[in-house]
Amino acid sequence: MTSESILAIGSIALDYLELPSGQKGETLGGSLTYFTLAAGSLAPVHPVGIVGSDFPEEGMKLFAEYSANHDGIQVAEGKTFRWGGKYQSDWNTRETLYTELGVFENFNPELSKINKTCSYVYLGNIQPSLQTRILQQIISPKLVVCDTMNLWIDNFKDDLMKVLSEIDILLINDSEVSLLMGVSDPFEAGRKILEVGPAAVVVKMGSHGSALIDKGNLVNVGVYPVKRVIDPTGAGDSFAGGFLGALSMGLSIAESMLWGTATASFCIEGFGTEAMRELTLTDIKERKNTVRNLSKLP
Ligand code: AMP
């Protein structure tokens, strides 16, 4: 199967994590990092992001290894974006300990000629006005997928609504879709988003799987039964990577959700990005088939 190129934008971070297992420490993170590791074995990925002069060489090597073109990773004088997160014992509730923007604060990328011609676009979880500026630079995108979070819904809702009017698929958590549309039922909230612009909404429900809402359908996809969760950080971004990778192979949205689910299941089996670094295409395909058997796809 051949895949088309994916332009991806998001954060590259140095994370500090505290987990219910008692494990804690610093590690490489960021939405773009997880996305690139997840999609990199499925499609030619063109990541666009920024790091500071303190960013470890090891991180740069990973981007070089998993990207088709990593010229879009800018190195600027200053500190890399830092984020600290602490999980409650239920694994689902996460508290942000701190967010330090560093060089991310003045990030305003000018896309290279090659990056402007990518067919698939992933607007990772970043400020909506920056998502718009990126999208405006792509010459003729075939399909645009966007993610977001409560921070942007709370503080930049108008900018976010503008982004939504220009994309094809929104990836969003169940609590966030309700917050965005002011409707407690996530499925009803998802259907309301269809009126704003996207042809489809994929609602991520953590350990309860994901749901596709589009004009005709409501499709539920389950999760892969992971034996031991080590660290849920990056599961959403890894889902997005597997999902976009499959879409770029020409697969349907529902089928691509199986790939996203399989990819995310590996992410949560290791601390930070550890488990993602050992991922192979064969592993993803195997788990994707298991998820299909556990889900009732039409
Ligand atoms: P996820 O678990 O999929 O929601 O993604 C977690 C990643 O998102 C972490 O590695 C963080 O570095 C990154 N992150 C957290 N908050 C933000 C933010 N406000 N902007 C961009 N990236 C963030």
Side-chain angles (χ1 to χ4, degrees):
M1 259 189 281
T2 50
S3 329
E4 294 190 56
S5 55
I6 305 173
L7 185 285
I9 180 155
S11 58
I12 304 173
L14 296 174
D15 285 347
Y16 167 76
L17 306 172
E18 284 188 18
L19 300 162
S21 57
Q23 190 177 7
K24 55 183 169 183
E26 286 184 1
T27 186
L28 181 65
S31 57
L32 185 63
T33 312
Y34 285 102
F35 180 90
T36 304
L37 294 179
S41 49
L42 306 177
V45 183
H46 297 233
V48 173
I50 191 165
V51 295
S53 35
D54 57 352
F55 192 64
E57 186 59 34
E58 178 212 356
M60 267 310 196
K61 278 195 186 143
L62 270 188
F63 275 102
E65 191 184 332
Y66 283 82
S67 314
N69 164 32
H70 67 291
D71 292 355
I73 310 287
Q74 212 180 303
V75 184
E77 198 56 51
K79 286 193 161 182
T80 299
F81 174 76
R82 281 174 164 74
W83 176 79
K86 181 179 178 174
Y87 290 83
Q88 303 297 317
S89 51
D90 66 359
W91 293 97
N92 282 322
T93 320
R94 184 168 79 187
E95 177 195 343
T96 289
L97 298 174
Y98 59 85
T99 303
E100 294 169 5
L101 292 178
V103 292
F104 204 36
E105 190 163 8
N106 299 313
F107 183 44
N108 191 11
E110 195 57 50
L111 296 189
S112 65
K113 224 172 174 179
I114 179 169
N115 283 346
K116 281 181 184 168
T117 59
C118 286
S119 317
Y120 287 75
V121 180
Y122 177 62
L123 303 173
N125 177 17
I126 50 167
Q127 193 159 333
S129 57
L130 185 51
Q131 292 179 320
T132 298
R133 283 206 296 280
I134 294 297
L135 192 51
Q136 282 168 345
Q137 293 180 54
I138 319 265
I139 294 165
S140 58
K142 202 164 168 181
L143 192 103
V144 182
V145 181
C146 164
D147 196 349
T148 194
M149 71 186 287
N150 48 5
L151 181 68
W152 316 124
I153 299 170
D154 285 335
N155 300 317
F156 300 96
K157 195 163 169 182
D158 290 348
D159 292 342
L160 179 58
M161 284 312 207
K162 184 173 177 316
V163 176
L164 297 188
S165 69
E166 288 163 0
I167 63 159
D168 300 294
I169 304 174
L170 174 67
L171 289 178
I172 191 164
N173 287 344
D174 45 1
S175 61
E176 289 162 352
V177 75
S178 297
L179 177 71
L180 178 62
M181 300 316 282
V183 175
S184 57
D185 175 28
F187 302 116
E188 197 191 328
R191 276 190 291 273
K192 276 192 170 294
I193 293 181
L194 299 180
E195 293 162 20
V196 181
V201 177
V202 174
V203 180
K204 297 173 285 177
M205 302 178 290
S207 54
H208 300 292
S210 54
L212 163 64
I213 300 162
D214 65 13
K215 292 237 158 64
N217 298 301
L218 173 61
V219 177
N220 282 297
V221 168
V223 290
Y224 180 85
V226 166
K227 286 199 186 83
R228 190 161 164 247
V229 177
I230 301 285
D231 173 12
T233 313
D237 310 306
S238 304
F239 179 98
F243 180 66
L244 264 284
L247 287 172
S248 77
M249 294 179 207
L251 301 178
S252 70
I253 299 178
E255 180 73 20
S256 300
M257 286 164 70
L258 301 175
W259 287 72
T261 306
T263 313
S265 74
F266 288 102
C267 173
I268 64 177
E269 287 181 326
F271 184 66
T273 57
E274 266 167 18
M276 299 303 288
R277 302 183 194 193
E278 283 156 25
L279 203 56
T280 66
L281 184 56
T282 315
D283 294 333
I284 302 175
K285 279 187 179 165
E286 211 175 281
R287 286 200 179 181
K288 178 251 321 173
N289 289 334
T290 306
V291 182
R292 181 204 305 284
N293 293 337
L294 293 171
S295 310
K296 294 183 189 77
L297 293 194

